[in-house]
Amino acid sequence: MSSAIFFKAIEQEIARTQYGESPVELYEPIAYLMSLGGKRMRPAICLMAASIFSDDWQKATKPALGVEVFHNFTLMHDDIMDAAPLRRGQPTVHEKWNSSVAILSGDVMLVCAYELMTAVKDNIFKKVIRRFNRTAAEVCEGQQLDMNFASRNDVSEEEYINMIRLKTSVLLGFALELGGMIAETSEANTQLLYEIGTNIGIGFQLKDDILDVYGDPEKFGKQVGGDIIENKKTFLLIEALAQAKGKPEEKELAQWLSAQSFDKAEKVKAVTNIYDTLGIKQMAESKMNEFFSKGLNDLERLEAPAERKKPLLDIIYMLIEREN
Amino acid sequence: MSSAIFFKAIEQEIARTQYGESPVELYEPIAYLMSLGGKRMRPAICLMAASIFSDDWQKATKPALGVEVFHNFTLMHDDIMDAAPLRRGQPTVHEKWNSSVAILSGDVMLVCAYELMTAVKDNIFKKVIRRFNRTAAEVCEGQQLDMNFASRNDVSEEEYINMIRLKTSVLLGFALELGGMIAETSEANTQLLYEIGTNIGIGFQLKDDILDVYGDPEKFGKQVGGDIIENKKTFLLIEALAQAKGKPEEKELAQWLSAQSFDKAEKVKAVTNIYDTLGIKQMAESKMNEFFSKGLNDLERLEAPAERKKPLLDIIYMLIEREN
């Protein structure tokens, strides 16, 4: 089966879903944010996981959309906290409306995600909600850690990996696990699906960090070097701070990090040079490959015919090779 | 049975509940807000409803706390939107920490409320979550309507009652309904419990509006006239705007509403005088009594021995007679 069918099922579900009607200030921002697109990777992999163990994977469509709605809820609230003006090239909800609307509309969006989860069968519903609760709390924990890291210069690699595991990866893990639960596969397979998702998710985020510095400007879609300009604590910066200790790059990096006014292009070039000198790109790629490999190995171990796993395998390779 | 036992059960549950550990910025504000007190009316009436139909009402304690946690989540987010400096006389979460913490901590608090709901038995869990979802969405709708009303001068009595039904009352309705569901009483009784809660809730909010103007300053706890100072669209103001049409009070009221600088005490006195002239207090009391009576009548109709209903009846009378 081709991957496209799963993405199509999600887009169709999004097109027919009504989140609520009145007052419009509450529900329009939900439809707006959901209409801005995105890769729809989380719900698609949920359907793929379900399809590994069940021909009736369509029954996972609403809960899968719940994962996507949850993801977009976190974007709506994160954008307020980050004072981000744009999301997918369009005004963020708090910019287009205001912060109160973005808070409240986000709240009801989280409720909508829970409502979409009610589409699973009664016998697995409590298990699904417990796992969803845990995942949702962890995503919030990850966002809080990310904010905490902004004012720290001593974040360790381990802390960083834990933060992105919480903020990004557990939701990919849950998306796959949810597909497995809905297909009512074994506990062992469901657990393995979760592991695959979290490891792929960490690899995915490390790829993000690498692309932000080393992406092809023609293909990347965003400004290359954005993380460097903002001193964002990515894997690359954390590794560079560690590797630079006692070397001439230590002072140079510190100066760029504390610079109040600078030419953006010059800073991006200089910090990228420091990364190159220290071999940071290779370290990040090696760490990224470690997590992708774990994910691929676990997918190999999953007890199912290879052709059933093919769509998920294709997506993972797409994530590994992506350039934007 | 005395009402006190239910309040005590809730306080004990609050004392032993951990919402999460790390990062502290995420979970401390939850414990902080929950520790500021409040009447704990919602969880208490949930337990009372359960005790009408089951001796094992303690099994409703965690879900009842879920209702209280949900209520406090709405306070945490509403306080950001209202830029409120104080809550129960103490700094609000966004003041004590910051807005990002209040948004994110509130989000995880909503998740905690869902997690507390998982304590109900599997056979009623999906029904409970569906009703909780609907209620949560309606509370958000009510808050959005309340914000919308701030910039309107043509809010009708009907619109206002609908707004407070959504913002305040449906959660009281759900609290009672939840107690009934957990005690596994009949659908008819559960529905009746919901009706009792929403009607009492509307009466409760109208009492709030009345006390804010006519409360005894010695007993009220808050500044009497706060709503008048802020031009808050309460039942009294909406009714006054309607009743003043074509009378000398119309212009006088409009002047006070548009006044940019004024002596607070003078405005409170003048607007209260307008209310008195137009007989607004009596109208508000009559409307309030209408809803309390509906609630009391429905409680009477509830198929259960009178002594079982006594704690709930006592609470309703306490709400009717309260002075703060």
Side-chain angles (χ1 to χ4, degrees), chain A residues 42-57 59-61 63-64 67 120-121 123-124 127-128 131 172-197 302-304 312:
Chain A
R42 293 159 188 82
I45 63 172
C46 175
L47 296 185
M48 289 173 199
S51 79
I52 295 176
F53 300 103
S54 169
D55 290 329
D56 185 19
W57 55 266
K59 67 185 170 186
T61 311
V67 176
V120 306
K121 277 168 66 183
N123 63 319
I124 60 161
K127 194 167 67 174
V128 165
R131 290 291 308 124
L172 277 84
F174 175 71
L176 288 186
E177 182 187 10
L178 177 62
M181 286 191 279
I182 292 170
E184 298 188 69
T185 183
S186 69
E187 189 69 31
N189 281 337
T190 309
Q191 181 60 33
L192 212 50
L193 282 167
Y194 178 75
E195 297 294 332
I196 294 166
L302 199 68
E303 286 166 5
L312 194 52

Side-chain angles (χ1 to χ4, degrees), chain B residues 99-119:
Chain B
S99 288
S100 294
V101 162
I103 292 172
L104 201 57
S105 193
D107 290 344
V108 89
M109 206 165 178
L110 177 51
V111 173
C112 289
Y114 277 100
E115 184 60 19
L116 285 160
M117 292 296 160
T118 65

Side-chain angles (χ1 to χ4, degrees), chain B residues 44-110:
Chain B
I45 62 172
C46 175
L47 296 185
M48 290 174 198
S51 79
I52 295 175
F53 301 103
S54 168
D55 290 330
D56 185 19
W57 55 265
Q58 285 93 338
K59 67 184 170 188
T61 311
K62 274 179 196 291
L65 179 57
V67 176
E68 183 68 6
V69 169
F70 174 81
H71 172 58
N72 279 268
F73 141 75
T74 66
L75 298 181
M76 200 186 281
H77 277 188
D78 285 2
D79 283 344
I80 312 171
M81 299 179 224
D82 301 343
L86 298 174
R87 167 64 60 185
R88 310 193 201 285
Q90 299 294 320
T92 46
V93 169
H94 65 95
E95 282 286 327
K96 194 174 160 78
W97 284 270
N98 57 57
S99 288
S100 294
V101 162
I103 292 172
L104 201 57
S105 193
D107 290 344
V108 89
M109 206 165 178
L110 177 51

